[in-house]
Amino acid sequence: MSLIEEIDYGTPRSKSETMVTLTIDGKEVTVPEGTSVMRAAMEAGTEIPKLCATDMLESFGSCRLCLIEIEGRNGTPASCTTLVAEGMAVHTQTERLKRLRKGVMELYISEHPLDCLTCSANGDCELQDMSGAVGLREVRYGYDGKKHPNPGIDASNPYFTYEPSKCIVCSRCVRACEEVQGTFALTIAGRGFDSVVSPSMQEPFMESECVSCGACVQACPTATLNEKSVIDIGTPEHSVVTTCAYCGVGCTFKAEMRGEEVVRMLPYKDGKANRGHSCVKGRFAWGYASHKDRITTPMIRENINDPWREVSWEEAIQFAADKFKAIQAKHGRSSIGGITSSRCTNEETFLVQKLVRAAFGNNNVDTCARVCHSPTGYGLNTTYGTSAGTQDFDSIEYSDVVLVIGANPTDGHPVFGSRMKKRLREGAKLIVADPRQIDLVRSPHVEADFHMQLKPGTNVALLTSLAHVVVTEGLVNEDFVRERCDWDEFQDWAAFAAEERNSPEAMEKYTGVPAETVRGAARLYATGGNAAIYYGLGVTEHSQGSTTVMAIANLAMATGNIGREGVGVNPLRGQNNVQGSCDMGSFPHEFPGYRHVSTDTVRETFESMWGRELDSEPGLRIPNMMDAAIDGSFKGMYIQGEDILQSDPDTKHMIAGLSAMECVVVQDLFLVETADFAHVFLPGSTFLEKNGTFTNAERRIQPVRKVMAPKNGYEDWEITQMLANAMGYPMHYEHPSEIMDEIAALTPKFAGVTFKKLDEEGSIQWPCNEEAPNGTPVMHVDGFVRGKGKFVVTEYVPTDEKSGPRFPLLLTTGRILSQYNVGAQTRRTANSEWHPEDLLEIHPFDAETRGIRDGDWVKLSSRSGETALRAQVSERMAPGVVYTTFHHPKTQANVVTTDFSDWATNCPEYKVTAVQVMPSNGPTEWQEEYDEFSRKSRRIEEAPTVVAAE
Amino acid sequence: MSHSNVDRLVYMVNQIGDFFKYQPHEDAAEGIANHIKKFWDPRMRKQILEHLEAGGEGLEGPSRKAIEILRDMTQKAKSDA
């Protein structure tokens, strides 16, 4: 194994389909029009020396090292800024060029510290490489000329340092921040020798607008910006391509290693989701894998008030299996169940649902998608016939109009957010529908054309009023609808949408969005060219979540924005493998591939393969499991990699449910909140310690590759397998590839997927089968999967969660950039420096009327419960609306959220909770009691001291 | 069976009804019943049927009819078995 060195072509690939032929050093080369000579040369195998050029960035032409000579032209132009032309004859290495390049390098080196042997980039420095490439042997100007400014090292960022004395002012970092990340946090301050890279107004990195995505560090050709891990450990010696375990973007990384130690995670340019970019989580926040809180020994206890007792794997597994079997013997087959994890691999998820269906003998299996994107599955399956997004991420490059609804991509899906911002800077128009003024509404070089700042809970009213404008102003793409959709259903829907009561003017009283804004947005969406919708949990986590998804699907069909690049309906999935966990049959009513358990032919296929008779009735969803636990008919569960106590709504109800069970088995990395109520703790493995696949939001199946042995001894699928065997259901997989082979054999959409093919292709977007052997980047191209697209009438039904005198404000919850979900991973990294606690965002008006100042403790209460946290006075919220995150167990924000949920799927209504906010002195009594209980619950019994016999 | 759990089931049935009663080409009660048959665990269905037998308080309009259809479906399935 060795380091994977990606070829740097110097400038980006041209998208032109017109080809141009030229000669470079006498060799004929054919490349797309618009390609730089530098790139053409590299494609022909000739590397022209360069310093300021890299193929992640547009050409800049400042270093003057990549000079070339062109026959018939004067001078020595820079090859990075010179485009190819038909018949051009280029020379990359002449006596003149050699002389010039040496001269340039002499100037660079004359003011660069020559501490190469002790420099952290020794062996990984492009300046060093180029000195070698141009044959630099002496510096005529001496080595003690005016040195580059050396104000000291900025080590404020927890993950990288900035050492100005090593800067060659190539501006790659500045351009990466602008072009790739789109934050514009960096600039070059000063002139000549005084030029330095400046975060914001020459502030330390941590005090600047920098979002720590790492693009600048990656772009830096020297050690000026360098990972602290490289400084501490040294340069890596081998690398493995794998997939990030955070968020649904699914970035591909090179895990760069020294032995079994991760040195750094570098985004992989060939990664089709991220195209070489990353965010602060995937790039830097992987240290949790070796955090001291990690539990690596199995533990059991009879009662949740007992301390944990460390035991062998055999004892823990047998203890769990015996408990489960005893419960079933006493309370019936349906008295236990399981939860699959969207943080685990497809293979692991598949195995958990197989364990429940085949070994437990029921369908009581659910997944965290229940509380995030289950309405996406229901809504898109109903309208289009597929429970998934329609596009690949590259599609954004062809969008003319982007409609973002209930999503905050720059925080929740930052790498895709950067790709979106890039397209917006190129001129695409932007419509945002969100109660908050998210960053996309107005940030450097990006401004929404329309921000529909709707009241929480009124998505359906808003979308139907958009549809009203499309229908009544003659903006329907009738050709598309007639050809691709059910015409009768369309007419019903159009008549409904056209009713005056659904007009923007009539709906304004519900949504709070001025009618003219809605009309403008609808006209832009329908007539602005390729229009794409991206949505998140602000759509799904409502009592009408599924209806909202169908309203979105209606709008896209009515305007013909489906079935080609640049358009579509795109759910931005929360966790890394939400799509995959749904695909793998994690829902209680369907087998892998979204096929209902009552369909005899499907069930018989699984029965034949699995050798057990399977239940034809749907099982319990997570909230129903808790209800049934309280009711006494559900007594045990196996939870792999989810912290339902912290992530699910109405914490007190969750506690009541979990406390009522006789055996809760938690398999996780840490003693998470749910583990406080567990009887068996099975230590899990991180994504660095296992093989398998994740499927991201664009249906892309991507390999996860093991780079170190599991610290707990087993990959998660092996633990499930042990439990199945102990339950009396034999499983004997040797490798996750065998599980994928079984998935492919049982699931038509995955029929063509194998680990071998994934190794060859890098990734595959399902469906992948005989009809689509290389996968399917864009869906519904020639027709909808269900046949004719189905228009659904989307009547607005206001939520029953209403503000009033007792609870006059509406709370909506979400996440921020640096933390991930319940924070179990990111809180155990330096990411907490950005977000050490959950804060309550409150509008100045609401704060002032309550006597609340920025930073004050406030009590947040609802009919479900109350918690206390600090206030952040902010105009990002409209008056009457407050916002917080759920990353910290100290806050337990979900103690406030309610049991209201989506009508079709029971996805909780996290986005609308009527609350009151009042000044407070600190944590509530409940928080203190919970904290005390939690501390006691995590006690681990000390192993008895063994005295050696004399 | 706790009262709060049944109340919750009744609420869910009516909430499902709030979708299906606006669908033009679908009988609302049939739509609700099919949805429940497709997505509810048998013990939840049993609880709502018992609630219907006990008077069905809170089940309104098509929701009540839906649970009656569900009852008929269940009885037919039993007799077919």
Side-chain angles (χ1 to χ4, degrees):
Chain A
M1 224 183 303
S2 60
L3 269 180
I4 297 164
E5 298 285 358
E6 293 170 272
I7 296 170
D8 186 346
Y9 292 92
T11 62
R13 182 177 57 86
S14 166
K15 287 182 186 170
S16 174
E17 289 175 5
T18 308
M19 302 305 281
V20 170
T21 299
L22 68 159
T23 60
I24 298 176
D25 296 333
K27 197 192 296 182
E28 202 166 87
V29 186
T30 300
V31 292
E33 191 177 38
T35 302
S36 71
V37 171
M38 174 182 278
R39 186 176 179 106
M42 195 66 206
E43 287 187 9
T46 299
E47 185 175 0
I48 299 173
K50 61 180 169 43
L51 277 171
C52 73
T54 181
D55 56 13
M56 287 290 287
L57 305 171
E58 295 299 325
S59 58
F60 195 54
S62 86
C63 75
R64 313 311 298 173
L65 206 60
C66 69
L67 308 178
I68 48 168
E69 289 191 73
I70 302 171
E71 288 180 18
R73 292 195 196 179
N74 290 333
T76 52
S79 62
C80 63
T81 52
T82 304
L83 302 184
V84 294
E86 189 64 38
M88 181 187 263
V90 175
H91 297 281
T92 68
Q93 185 79 343
T94 66
E95 287 306 316
R96 185 184 178 196
L97 292 172
K98 283 156 64 179
R99 204 169 51 247
L100 285 169
R101 284 182 192 140
K102 245 185 209 176
V104 169
M105 278 308 297
E106 279 186 89
L107 289 168
Y108 274 116
I109 298 302
S110 71
E111 67 129 17
H112 191 81
L114 296 179
D115 59 349
C116 295
L117 286 179
T118 55
C119 177
S120 57
N122 188 16
D124 185 25
C125 172
E126 291 182 43
L127 190 67
Q128 204 175 44
D129 294 345
M130 288 307 110
S131 295
V134 303
L136 187 71
R137 300 291 173 257
E138 61 171 344
V139 175
R140 288 170 290 166
Y141 314 111
Y143 302 98
D144 53 358
K146 184 170 179 181
K147 294 296 180 194
H148 206 70
N150 187 9
I153 298 172
D154 173 3
S156 62
N157 184 292
Y159 298 119
F160 62 85
T161 60
Y162 167 45
E163 197 171 347
S165 66
K166 291 181 175 172
C167 179
I168 60 169
V169 201
C170 63
S171 293
R172 275 164 60 162
C173 56
V174 176
R175 290 182 288 138
C177 191
E178 293 175 3
E179 296 175 26
V180 180
Q181 168 56 29
T183 294
F184 295 81
L186 304 179
T187 189
I188 300 290
R191 290 183 173 192
F193 276 112
D194 295 329
S195 302
V196 286
V197 173
S198 163
S200 296
M201 303 296 284
Q202 292 192 272
E203 294 160 19
F205 264 86
M206 270 307 263
E207 291 172 27
S208 73
E209 302 102 312
C210 168
V211 293
S212 199
C213 68
C216 58
V217 183
Q218 188 183 352
C220 182
T222 68
T224 309
L225 290 159
N226 209 354
E227 294 91 349
K228 286 182 177 175
S229 56
V230 173
I231 295 170
D232 288 345
I233 302 168
T235 50
E237 44 79 27
H238 76 270
S239 47
V240 178
V241 174
T242 190
T243 304
C244 180
Y246 289 122
C247 104
V249 176
C251 296
T252 308
F253 278 89
K254 288 185 292 183
E256 294 202 331
M257 311 291 297
R258 184 155 281 282
E260 277 210 331
E261 185 172 24
V262 180
V263 175
R264 63 182 171 188
M265 299 291 285
L266 270 187
Y268 190 49
K269 281 194 301 189
D270 278 350
K272 295 186 178 72
N274 57 323
R275 301 288 181 195
H277 190 34
S278 60
C279 80
V280 63
K281 295 190 285 288
R283 177 77 153 89
F284 295 118
W286 35 267
Y288 66 87
S290 53
H291 194 275
K292 63 180 174 53
D293 288 353
R294 186 96 185 262
I295 303 288
T296 54
T297 305
M299 301 188 295
I300 59 172
R301 59 184 173 188
E302 282 294 335
N303 190 294
I304 60 171
N305 295 312
D306 296 340
W308 285 106
R309 185 162 63 86
E310 292 184 340
V311 294
S312 67
W313 274 102
E314 292 73 19
E315 186 176 349
I317 293 287
Q318 199 57 53
F319 183 87
D322 289 347
K323 287 266 184 195
F324 282 155
K325 283 193 273 192
I327 290 170
Q328 285 191 304
K330 189 173 173 190
H331 301 283
R333 199 178 59 180
S334 299
S335 57
I336 62 172
I339 295 181
T340 74
S341 174
S342 292
R343 295 179 214 170
C344 286
T345 64
N346 285 317
E347 295 72 19
E348 287 163 344
T349 304
F350 177 88
L351 229 52
V352 172
Q353 63 88 36
K354 179 175 178 179
L355 169 84
V356 171
R357 299 188 201 283
F360 291 1
N362 62 52
N363 289 316
N364 293 331
V365 61
D366 207 0
T367 186
C368 78
R370 173 67 51 217
V371 300
C372 65
H373 266 290
S374 51
T376 289
Y378 184 89
L380 294 185
N381 190 45
T382 301
T383 49
Y384 297 166
T386 310
S387 302
T390 62
Q391 310 296 121
D392 59 4
F393 287 144
D394 285 352
S395 172
I396 191 72
E397 295 175 14
Y398 303 92
S399 296
D400 301 308
V401 179
V402 179
L403 170 52
V404 178
I405 310 176
N408 186 6
T410 55
D411 275 33
H413 304 85
V415 169
F416 179 67
S418 289
R419 296 188 68 180
M420 181 185 280
K421 286 206 289 189
K422 186 173 187 179
R423 181 61 189 156
L424 295 170
R425 290 196 303 275
E426 289 168 354
K429 302 291 183 188
L430 174 66
I431 304 164
V432 173
D434 201 293
R436 295 173 81 211
Q437 187 164 325
I438 58 172
D439 284 349
L440 275 179
V441 172
R442 188 173 162 80
S443 58
H445 302 280
V446 169
E447 185 163 12
D449 297 85
F450 296 96
H451 177 205
M452 299 184 282
Q453 195 166 14
L454 74 172
K455 290 179 189 163
T458 62
N459 284 332
V460 172
L462 181 70
L463 284 156
T464 303
S465 65
L466 286 166
H468 175 90
V469 179
V470 170
V471 170
T472 58
E473 295 191 8
L475 307 179
V476 170
N477 184 336
E478 196 175 318
D479 290 343
F480 179 91
V481 175
R482 281 187 181 278
E483 184 191 334
R484 304 280 299 276
C485 307
D486 186 301
W487 183 249
D488 290 341
E489 286 170 345
F490 165 75
Q491 286 182 309
D492 289 336
W493 171 80
F496 157 76
E499 290 177 36
E500 189 53 33
R501 67 190 180 89
N502 289 325
S503 69
E505 289 74 16
M507 286 297 192
E508 188 175 330
K509 65 176 178 289
Y510 300 113
T511 64
V513 183
E516 267 317 296
T517 303
V518 177
R519 288 193 178 273
R523 289 168 193 149
L524 176 59
Y525 175 77
T527 65
N530 284 341
I533 297 176
Y534 292 87
Y535 72 86
L537 306 184
V539 158
T540 54
E541 291 175 343
H542 288 276
S543 60
Q544 279 200 292
S546 292
T547 312
T548 311
V549 173
M550 291 186 277
I552 287 171
N554 289 337
L555 204 58
M557 283 190 291
T559 54
N561 279 309
I562 281 287
R564 61 181 189 280
E565 281 187 312
V567 299
V569 174
N570 304 279
L572 294 172
R573 304 283 184 162
Q575 301 207 64
N576 51 321
N577 201 31
V578 171
Q579 181 68 57
S581 71
C582 297
D583 300 341
M584 292 299 107
S586 293
F587 288 136
H589 64 283
E590 56 196 12
F591 289 120
Y594 305 99
R595 291 161 300 162
H596 202 273
V597 292
S598 65
T599 308
D600 291 342
T601 50
V602 173
R603 199 174 60 259
E604 282 159 16
T605 311
F606 281 85
E607 286 174 339
S608 166
M609 180 79 90
W610 292 352
R612 285 284 167 100
E613 192 178 325
L614 302 176
D615 194 346
S616 62
E617 291 284 4
L620 292 165
R621 298 164 172 177
I622 295 172
N624 312 140
M625 289 180 188
M626 293 302 118
D627 292 340
I630 293 167
D631 237 13
S633 65
F634 190 72
K635 294 284 187 183
M637 68 194 303
Y638 169 52
I639 304 170
Q640 185 181 76
E642 289 296 339
D643 189 3
I644 55 174
L645 185 71
Q646 192 180 332
S647 64
D648 286 34
D650 198 359
T651 306
K652 288 180 180 172
H653 184 68
M654 292 299 297
I655 288 176
L658 287 167
S659 305
M661 280 188 255
E662 292 176 10
C663 182
V664 176
V665 178
V666 167
Q667 183 171 322
D668 216 309
L669 303 175
F670 307 103
L671 281 173
V672 293
E673 305 311 302
T674 309
D676 289 351
F677 298 87
H679 305 82
V680 181
F681 186 87
L682 303 175
S685 53
T686 71
F687 78 113
L688 297 167
E689 301 162 341
K690 61 174 74 168
N691 287 303
T693 58
F694 292 150
T695 305
N696 74 355
E698 42 168 8
R699 293 169 281 105
R700 187 181 300 283
I701 308 160
Q702 307 193 95
V704 178
R705 296 190 177 95
K706 189 178 190 170
V707 300
M708 59 177 73
K711 292 191 191 309
N712 58 322
Y714 293 103
E715 299 179 36
D716 286 291
W717 62 270
E718 294 178 287
I719 301 165
T720 307
Q721 176 161 283
M722 287 192 284
L723 184 58
N725 287 323
M727 289 291 293
Y729 181 77
M731 285 189 190
H732 301 293
Y733 302 100
E734 297 286 333
H735 190 271
S737 61
E738 296 170 15
I739 305 174
M740 179 53 87
D741 292 342
E742 185 173 317
I743 295 166
L746 286 166
T747 316
K749 286 186 175 77
F750 285 73
V753 181
T754 61
F755 272 40
K756 182 170 177 288
K757 192 175 179 77
L758 284 165
D759 285 341
E760 289 164 2
E761 301 287 329
S763 64
I764 302 167
Q765 285 177 273
W766 66 257
C768 173
N769 45 31
E770 264 185 30
E771 294 88 66
N774 294 317
T776 311
V778 177
M779 295 205 71
H780 316 297
V781 172
D782 299 316
F784 287 100
V785 170
R786 74 182 301 278
K788 293 285 187 185
K790 180 181 178 67
F791 280 89
V792 175
V793 169
T794 55
E795 182 72 30
Y796 170 55
V797 180
T799 172
D800 287 324
E801 181 70 9
K802 296 183 197 310
S803 56
R806 205 168 146 220
F807 301 113
L809 304 172
L810 289 180
L811 168 74
T812 180
T813 64
R815 67 167 100 162
I816 59 140
L817 171 67
S818 55
Q819 298 285 4
Y820 177 68
N821 201 269
V822 296
Q825 294 143 288
T826 46
R827 279 187 283 106
R828 291 177 172 93
T829 70
N831 275 29
S832 282
E833 291 190 26
W834 282 276
H835 188 79
E837 59 188 323
D838 293 319
L839 298 170
L840 185 81
E841 287 186 29
I842 184 168
H843 190 273
F845 175 80
D846 295 322
E848 194 174 330
T849 54
R850 289 166 173 77
I852 295 166
R853 290 164 302 176
D854 196 66
D856 282 355
W857 276 95
V858 293
K859 188 171 77 177
L860 175 69
S861 50
S862 75
R863 64 181 171 86
S864 289
E866 58 187 34
T867 187
L869 66 173
R870 290 180 197 277
Q872 183 175 44
V873 179
S874 162
E875 291 187 8
R876 279 158 69 100
M877 309 305 303
V881 182
V882 292
Y883 171 87
T884 192
T885 50
F886 62 101
H887 301 306
H888 290 271
K890 293 272 185 205
T891 315
Q892 290 281 19
N894 279 315
V895 76
V896 174
T897 52
T898 71
D899 59 353
F900 282 135
S901 64
D902 173 47
W903 67 268
T905 64
N906 285 135
C907 179
E909 191 167 47
Y910 289 109
K911 302 299 184 186
V912 191
T913 306
V915 294
Q916 178 58 292
V917 178
M918 295 304 283
S920 164
N921 292 325
T924 63
E925 202 174 313
W926 183 85
Q927 280 170 290
E928 286 174 349
E929 282 171 7
Y930 177 83
D931 195 48
E932 176 64 12
F933 168 76
S934 187
R935 196 184 54 75
K936 278 188 184 163
S937 178
R938 292 172 194 204
R939 286 168 299 154
I940 300 173
E941 202 172 76
E942 283 185 26
T945 311
V946 178
V947 181
E950 284 186 15
Chain B
M1 175 172 55
S2 71
H3 282 295
S4 62
N5 204 359
V6 170
D7 290 346
R8 185 171 159 82
L9 295 180
V10 170
Y11 182 84
M12 285 165 62
V13 176
N14 289 329
Q15 206 186 1
I16 295 164
D18 280 341
F19 174 78
F20 283 103
K21 70 187 181 193
Y22 294 106
Q23 300 311 308
H25 288 299
E26 194 163 2
D27 177 77
E30 290 275 355
I32 301 165
N34 286 332
H35 186 91
I36 292 172
K37 176 86 173 72
K38 190 172 176 185
F39 294 108
W40 283 25
D41 169 88
R43 83 194 75 181
M44 294 163 66
R45 301 203 305 261
K46 184 166 173 279
Q47 285 177 1
I48 199 72
L49 290 174
E50 285 170 359
H51 180 67
L52 180 72
E53 290 304 305
E57 188 185 344
L59 291 170
E60 301 153 6
S63 298
R64 174 175 286 272
K65 194 176 165 207
I67 305 305
E68 288 167 0
I69 293 171
L70 191 67
R71 179 191 59 201
D72 297 344
M73 282 172 155
T74 309
Q75 283 169 354
K76 185 171 182 307
K78 269 186 191 162
S79 63
D80 288 351

